[in-house]
Amino acid sequence: KAGVTQTPRYLIKTRGQQVTLSCSPISGHRSVSWYQQTPGQGLQFLFEYFSETQRNKGNFPGRFSGRQFSNSRSEMNVSTLELGDSALYLCASSNLAGGNNEQFFGPGTRLTVL
Amino acid sequence: SQQGEEDPQALSIQEGENATMNCSYKTSINNLQWYRQNSGRGLVHLILIRSNEREKHSGRLRVTLDTSKKSSSLLITASRAADTASYFCASRRAGGTSYGKLTFGQGTILTVHP
């Protein structure tokens, strides 16, 4: 089974621009979660999608948004980029079988905002 | 903000020695998971322990959970240079709809010298 894939792997943007990151979960997984990782704040939960519905959202401003498609692929969008948005963005998928939520992570998208 | 705290922040050992990392969390949990991350790449799922379990083994890994102390430990036996990585604990909060949401600790950086 193929793992979680994320595109692009690296991205450089300038302040004020917007960016869209993509995540394809493991086949059969319907839950997709997004996390931001920075040296200062560590790993922080952004949001979770299940069956095209946002089920949970972390403490991030409205500039961060996401969506999930019928094939479970997910995108996240960051508008009006700030320098502090530079981070590794990780996507994880889970099948939530038996109430477990083992998250399988993709390689991440490293976003640099100049 | 991170719910969990990990200790130590960094650990340096020789190949063949055992490595123990500790994690504390603040709220009641459904389960706790451990992940490994190599050099800013994606997270690799190591092991999941449910709140009603006290100990779990997987190969050279042993995880314990003490819900009365809200703490967990990860033991890696007979360490290898390839175990060099950052290790994170992540908890799923009990109750609610946080199925896919994990709260991560700050991580322990493990260095195994050959």
Side-chain angles (χ1 to χ4, degrees), chain B residues 40-79:
Chain B
R41 299 168 73 176
L43 295 159
V44 174
H45 185 270
L46 296 176
I47 196 165
L48 179 151
I49 186 165
R50 295 183 180 84
S51 59
N52 61 353
E53 297 175 313
R54 292 296 166 258
E55 188 172 311
K56 205 160 180 181
H57 298 254
S58 177
R60 295 184 296 113
L61 305 179
R62 172 178 168 255
V63 168
T64 61
L65 180 65
D66 187 335
T67 52
S68 66
K69 295 181 180 177
K70 291 188 168 59
S71 68
S72 174
S73 68
L74 170 68
L75 167 67
I76 304 174
T77 60
S79 63

Side-chain angles (χ1 to χ4, degrees), chain A residues 1-5 25-30 93-95 104:
Chain A
K1 231 181 208 182
V4 178
T5 58
I26 292 171
S27 178
H29 286 193
R30 295 164 62 191
S93 76
S94 174
N95 64 6
F104 296 89

Side-chain angles (χ1 to χ4, degrees), chain A residues 31-68:
Chain A
S31 168
V32 173
S33 298
W34 288 88
Y35 293 82
Q36 181 198 63
Q37 185 177 27
T38 59
Q41 298 298 314
L43 280 148
Q44 296 191 87
F45 172 79
L46 279 158
F47 23 65
E48 180 204 359
Y49 287 88
F50 183 84
S51 293
E52 303 179 64
T53 301
Q54 186 181 89
R55 192 150 63 175
N56 219 325
K57 191 177 193 303
N59 189 25
F60 279 83
R63 300 185 297 107
F64 291 81
S65 63
R67 60 178 174 168
Q68 187 179 33

Side-chain angles (χ1 to χ4, degrees), chain A residues 33 35 37 43 99-101, chain B residues 2 31 37 50 92 99 102:
Chain A
S33 298
Y35 293 82
Q37 185 177 27
L43 280 148
N100 289 331
N101 63 327
Chain B
Q2 295 295 309
N31 64 58
Q37 185 178 39
R50 295 183 180 84
R92 175 189 162 188
Y99 301 107
L102 294 174

Side-chain angles (χ1 to χ4, degrees), chain B residues 24-43:
Chain B
S24 63
Y25 56 91
K26 295 178 182 174
T27 64
S28 296
I29 62 171
N30 178 284
N31 64 58
L32 187 139
Q33 304 175 43
W34 286 88
Y35 289 84
R36 183 185 76 228
Q37 185 178 39
N38 290 87
S39 196
R41 299 168 73 176
L43 295 159

